[in-house]
């Protein structure tokens, strides 16, 4: 149940979970299945339960930038992105980023997940990942949409009885097939599913989203894991509780034990006592911030912020990785308007009102969501792949041979180079039925399609660190975008491929003119990089690895049991633990981390 602050202050809970987001609520629900233990979730945002802005598909991004739902961070100035500060949204409120993401449910390659174990984490492999995602997922194939040719799936790759409902849309845009066929003309396979770790290969596909087709509402961690279990007497939640610090006791062997959690609520500081463990599930931005505020982290960072160093752990906040995307929007020819459904129509108030009436009958544009993706290696999208690899990977290879990189990063790079050699997927293109290019405004009455090239295995490594002892101050987020030249080269090649797709039939005949940005004058690799990518690239909201699960000597922060090195009872369970980024959207793995963390804490694995 959701408590008042007076019901929490100075009381003891066996497990205090910091962050009621995607992983945190999954973990809380599973731990509270044992009625002999008490679980408290401290969430900095509001409850936001049963909120139409969260629940309704078809209104993507309406919560982004709104402080009720979004931390709305910005990065530091990025030298390789026109010195821009990149907008860095993060979910705020119960559900975390599962409440304001784009709801896509995808899984990475088996190679990507098995790499976790290879980097020193027993039990973190594809077999367990597959088990825990299926425990989380409740896939429903039945849909009001009858296009069975398009809506293919591998039944064995989905979970059926989990709390997070995944499904296909009620209304399909109609643009997915032409794009897939155009990609196929360029040598991209059309595959039934990528849910089984790419065992059937890679290529263009459709994937489900976290929407319950019984109501066509978002299924997210608050509706899936919390609300069905809210009546449990041993599961407590306090919202609008901004954690300031984990208070620790130093033991005779030098380790730290978390004894209390200090938080700000109703205008004042309060504490709650920890009976067994405290678990950070505040996400890849806020979890390292809280550790550093607690005196755990890199000595120079803590001292600069005026924080007493209680445990020197240099990996905190480092090794941060993310995915990046950029948008290419195209106007559709009017002759195809009757065949194509577009989110653009919802910008018209009268149309939106009419569509909302249809939505009450589980029909119309509000039951439509993103469906089509392509995952492929660079070799499948770039004729110059060999030259790109030779030119830019030689720099990294020379750095490895010359001992330029720390041992932990070198091990990650060696796996990344192996992945490239095996030609596993790393490039992505998402199909968005409408205009989705920041700064561009669609003309009323017109329809558009947007292809969003994305890169998913960066060599660049960033960081997130506190700059002040003030817990309400935003941390410094430095993704170090395109710090390694290879990352920029891959993005340029993926943009070029997206442009080729639009020139292929049957898509070419449907498109009016060229991309609206960067436009026909930007053609050379240098111009694409300098006049387009660097000026408009964005995070794909998949931040990871800032509290990496790696051996301590390799820059790790948590061990394979998710325990923070040098502590007895502090763990982390969110995407910050991912040691090496994956080729997939991060929602499914965030749930899997919460599920596996619960079994670890229960002693079941």
């Amino acid at each position: 149940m959701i408590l008042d602050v007076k019901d929490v202050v100075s009381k003891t809970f066996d497990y205090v979970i910091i962050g009621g987001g995607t992983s945190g609520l999954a973990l809380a629900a599973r731990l509270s299945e044992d009625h002999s233990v008490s679980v408290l979730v401290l969430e900095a945002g509001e409850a936001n339960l049963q909120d139409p802005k969260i629940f309704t598909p078809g209104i993507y991004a309406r919560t982004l930038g709104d402080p009720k739902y979004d931390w709305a961070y910005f990065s530091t100035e990025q030298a390789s992105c026109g010195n821009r500060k990149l907008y860095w949204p993060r979910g705020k409120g119960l559900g975390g980023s599962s409440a304001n993401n784009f709801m896509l449910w995808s899984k990475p390659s088996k190679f990507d997940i098995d790499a976790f174990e290879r980097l020193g984490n027993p039990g973190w492999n594809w077999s367990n990942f597959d088990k825990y995602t299926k425990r989380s997922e409740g896939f429903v194939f039945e849909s009001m949409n009858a296009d069975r040719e398009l809506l293919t799936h591998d039944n064995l790759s989905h979970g059926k009885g989990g709390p997070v409902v995944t499904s296909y849309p009620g209304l399909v845009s109609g643009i997915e097939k032409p794009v897939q066929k155009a990609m196929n003309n360029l040598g991209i396979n059309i595959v039934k599913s990528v849910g089984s770790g790419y065992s059937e290969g890679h290529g263009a596909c459709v994937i489900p989203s976290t929407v319950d087709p019984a109501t066509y509402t978002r299924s997210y961690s608050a509706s899936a894991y919390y609300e069905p279990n809210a009546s449990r007497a041993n599961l407590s939640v306090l919202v609008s509780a901004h954690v300031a610090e984990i208070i620790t006791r130093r033991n005779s062997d030098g380790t730290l034990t978390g004894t209390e959690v200090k938080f700000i609520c109703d205008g004042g500081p309060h504490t709650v006592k920890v009976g067994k463990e405290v678990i950070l599930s505040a996400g890849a931005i806020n979890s390292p911030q809280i550790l550093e505020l607690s005196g755990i982290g890199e000595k120079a960072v803590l001292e600069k912020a005026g924080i007493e160093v209680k445990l020197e752990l240099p990996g905190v906040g480092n090794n941060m990785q993310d995915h990046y995307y950029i948008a290419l929007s195209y106007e559709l020819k009017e002759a195809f308007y009757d065949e194509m459904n577009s989110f653009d129509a919802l910008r018209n108030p009268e149309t939106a009102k009419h569509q909302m009436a249809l939505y009450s009958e589980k029909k119309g544009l509000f039951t439509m969501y993103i469906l089509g993706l392509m995952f492929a290696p660079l070799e499948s999208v770039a004729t110059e792949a060999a030259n790109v690899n030779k030119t830019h990977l030689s720099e990294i290879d020379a750095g490895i041979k010359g001992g330029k990189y720390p041992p932990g990063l070198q091990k990650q790079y060696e796996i990344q180079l192996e992945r490239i050699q095996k030609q596993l997927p790393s490039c992505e293109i998402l199909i968005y039925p409408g205009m989705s290019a920041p700064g561009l405004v669609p003309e009323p009455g017109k329809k558009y399609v947007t292809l969003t090239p994305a890169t998913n295995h960066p060599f660049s490594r960033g960081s997130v660190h506190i700059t002040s002892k003030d817990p309400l101050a935003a941390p410094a987020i430095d993704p170090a975008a395109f710090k390694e030249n290879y990352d920029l080269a891959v993005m340029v090649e993926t943009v070029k491929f997206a442009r080729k797709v639009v020139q292929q039939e049957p898509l070419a005949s449907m498109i009016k003119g060229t991309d609206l940005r960067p436009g026909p004058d930007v053609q050379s690799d240098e111009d694409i990089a300098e006049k387009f990518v660097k000026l408009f690239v964005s995070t794909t909201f998949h931040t990871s690895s800032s509290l990496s699960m790696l051996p301590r000597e390799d820059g790790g922060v948590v061990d394979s049991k998710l325990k923070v090195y040098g502590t007895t009872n502090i763990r982390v369970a969110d995407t910050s633990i991912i040691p090496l980024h994956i080729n997939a959207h991060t929602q499914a793995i965030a749930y899997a981390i919460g599920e596996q963390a619960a079994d670890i804490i229960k002693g079941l694995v």
Side-chain angles (χ1 to χ4, degrees):
M1 66 187 71
I2 295 178
L3 303 180
D4 292 325
V5 66
K6 61 180 174 56
D7 300 317
V8 171
V9 171
S10 300
K11 292 188 177 179
T12 300
F13 293 84
D14 292 318
Y15 297 104
V16 178
I17 299 173
I18 301 172
T22 314
S23 304
L25 290 183
L27 173 61
R30 295 306 186 192
L31 290 180
S32 62
E33 289 173 342
D34 179 355
H35 298 297
S36 70
V37 302
S38 57
V39 178
L40 172 67
V41 177
L42 296 172
E43 167 54 43
E46 301 175 32
N48 299 334
L49 298 176
Q50 303 293 317
D51 191 321
K53 281 190 176 181
I54 293 173
F55 263 160
T56 312
I59 56 171
Y60 293 107
R62 299 281 178 91
T63 57
L64 298 182
D66 185 335
K68 179 180 172 70
Y69 309 95
D70 180 11
W71 287 99
Y73 290 129
F74 282 86
S75 74
T76 59
E77 289 186 357
Q78 295 299 293
S80 294
C81 295
N83 291 319
R84 290 183 298 133
K85 293 183 177 181
L86 306 184
Y87 170 50
W88 215 269
R90 291 283 84 195
K92 184 180 181 182
L94 288 182
S97 291
S98 72
N100 64 5
N101 64 11
F102 284 67
M103 306 188 298
L104 297 168
W105 186 270
S106 64
K107 295 184 183 181
S109 70
K110 182 177 183 294
F111 180 95
D112 281 5
I113 297 297
D114 284 342
F116 294 14
E117 194 162 60
R118 292 175 60 187
L119 287 167
N121 300 297
W124 292 86
N125 51 43
W126 173 263
S127 177
N128 278 333
F129 168 78
D130 192 45
K131 176 178 73 174
Y132 288 116
T133 53
K134 287 176 179 174
R135 180 182 293 179
S136 180
E137 183 189 15
F139 176 64
V140 179
F141 179 60
E142 289 72 19
S143 169
M144 292 179 69
N145 192 286
D147 192 341
R148 294 299 189 259
E149 180 186 357
L150 176 67
L151 303 181
T152 60
H153 69 285
D154 172 14
N155 202 43
L156 295 178
S157 70
H158 292 286
K160 304 302 190 302
V164 181
V165 182
T166 66
S167 68
Y168 289 124
L171 181 69
V172 170
S173 75
I175 198 64
E176 290 82 11
K177 281 184 181 178
V179 176
Q180 286 186 350
K181 289 176 181 177
M183 289 178 172
N184 192 235
N185 289 337
L186 291 171
I188 300 295
N189 293 325
I190 299 176
V191 295
K192 182 170 69 173
S193 171
V194 294
S196 56
Y198 298 96
S199 62
E200 295 183 3
H202 51 74
C205 61
V206 295
I207 64 170
S209 289
T210 49
V211 177
D212 186 344
T215 55
Y216 284 106
T217 55
R218 179 191 295 264
S219 180
Y220 69 116
S221 65
S223 64
Y225 280 100
Y226 172 65
E227 289 189 279
N229 303 307
S231 62
R232 288 179 183 169
N234 65 331
L235 175 57
S236 302
V237 172
L238 181 65
V239 297
S240 301
H242 190 117
V243 170
E245 177 187 1
I246 300 171
I247 298 171
T248 55
R249 178 188 70 237
R250 183 171 300 281
N251 303 307
S252 59
D253 60 359
T255 59
L256 298 180
T257 297
T259 57
E260 294 178 272
V261 175
K262 182 179 179 181
F263 61 93
I264 300 167
C265 187
D266 285 351
H270 308 279
T271 61
V272 62
K273 296 179 182 178
V274 178
K276 294 179 182 288
E277 297 191 11
V278 55
I279 304 108
L280 276 162
S281 295
I285 302 300
N286 296 90
S287 284
Q289 177 190 28
I290 292 168
L291 271 189
E292 289 179 339
L293 289 169
S294 306
I296 300 173
E298 191 173 355
K299 183 179 180 181
V301 171
L302 301 182
E303 289 182 341
K304 186 177 179 180
I307 299 287
E308 177 190 352
V309 181
K310 297 180 180 178
L311 173 62
E312 189 169 3
L313 196 57
V316 172
N318 294 319
N319 199 43
M320 190 185 93
Q321 299 157 53
D322 208 329
H323 297 161
Y324 296 91
Y325 86 99
I326 197 161
L328 293 161
S329 290
Y330 299 85
E331 183 182 342
L332 291 172
K333 292 180 179 177
E334 291 183 15
F336 294 91
Y337 280 13
D338 289 342
E339 302 173 31
M340 301 296 152
N341 298 300
S342 165
F343 288 125
D344 300 309
L346 295 176
R347 296 174 185 267
N348 181 301
E350 288 301 315
T351 302
K353 182 178 179 180
H354 171 66
Q355 289 295 328
M356 186 55 70
L358 290 176
Y359 180 58
S360 66
E361 302 172 13
K362 294 186 277 190
K363 299 177 181 177
L365 286 174
F366 286 111
T367 71
M368 185 171 78
Y369 27 101
I370 295 171
L371 186 62
L373 295 175
M374 180 214 77
F375 294 104
L378 182 63
E379 285 76 9
S380 295
V381 305
T383 55
E384 296 297 314
N387 288 335
V388 170
N389 289 342
K390 181 179 179 181
T391 300
H392 298 291
L393 293 183
S394 60
E395 303 170 9
I396 293 169
D397 190 53
I400 291 174
K401 292 176 180 175
K404 174 183 175 182
Y405 307 111
L409 183 57
Q410 178 170 319
K411 291 173 185 176
Q412 294 174 48
Y413 278 1
E414 287 170 349
I415 290 175
Q416 288 186 251
L417 292 173
E418 181 184 344
R419 181 194 288 122
I420 292 169
Q421 185 180 30
K422 291 179 179 291
Q423 296 190 15
L424 295 170
S426 187
C427 304
E428 176 184 350
I429 292 179
L430 178 147
I431 305 165
Y432 182 85
M435 180 181 285
S436 181
L440 292 182
V441 179
E443 293 186 38
K446 293 188 176 181
K447 293 187 177 183
Y448 301 82
V449 61
T450 300
L451 300 185
T452 61
T455 54
N456 290 344
H457 287 135
F459 280 88
S460 302
R461 297 294 189 268
S463 64
V464 53
H465 292 300
I466 58 171
T467 59
S468 164
K469 63 169 60 177
D470 179 2
L472 300 180
I477 303 167
D478 180 9
F482 305 134
K483 181 180 180 181
E484 296 291 343
N485 292 327
Y486 181 78
D487 298 343
L488 178 60
V490 171
M491 179 61 86
V492 169
E493 293 299 326
T494 312
V495 168
K496 288 160 62 179
F497 179 75
R499 283 178 147 181
K500 289 180 182 178
V501 170
V502 176
Q503 295 168 1
Q504 296 294 312
E505 296 295 352
L507 186 60
S509 296
M510 302 169 63
I511 299 298
K512 185 176 182 179
T514 61
D515 46 72
L516 303 177
R517 183 197 289 152
D521 295 336
V522 176
Q523 293 295 330
S524 70
D525 288 9
E526 182 179 3
D527 279 354
I528 293 171
E530 298 296 327
K531 298 180 180 180
F532 182 44
V533 172
K534 288 186 177 182
L535 298 183
F536 296 101
V537 76
S538 169
T539 171
T540 314
F541 327 126
H542 298 163
T543 312
S544 76
S545 313
S546 51
L547 296 175
S548 291
M549 180 174 58
L550 290 167
R552 192 170 185 175
E553 62 271 21
D554 288 340
V557 177
V558 301
D559 61 19
S560 61
K561 299 297 185 183
L562 305 181
K563 191 167 288 185
V564 175
Y565 290 114
T567 74
T568 65
N569 70 338
I570 302 174
R571 299 190 207 243
V572 182
D574 56 36
T575 60
S576 67
I577 69 156
I578 295 172
L580 185 61
H581 220 330
I582 60 172
N583 186 65
H585 293 243
T586 49
Q587 180 171 212
I589 195 169
Y591 283 119
I593 288 169
E595 290 278 2
Q596 188 161 350
D599 274 6
I600 288 171
I601 293 170
K602 290 178 178 180
L604 300 177
V605 293

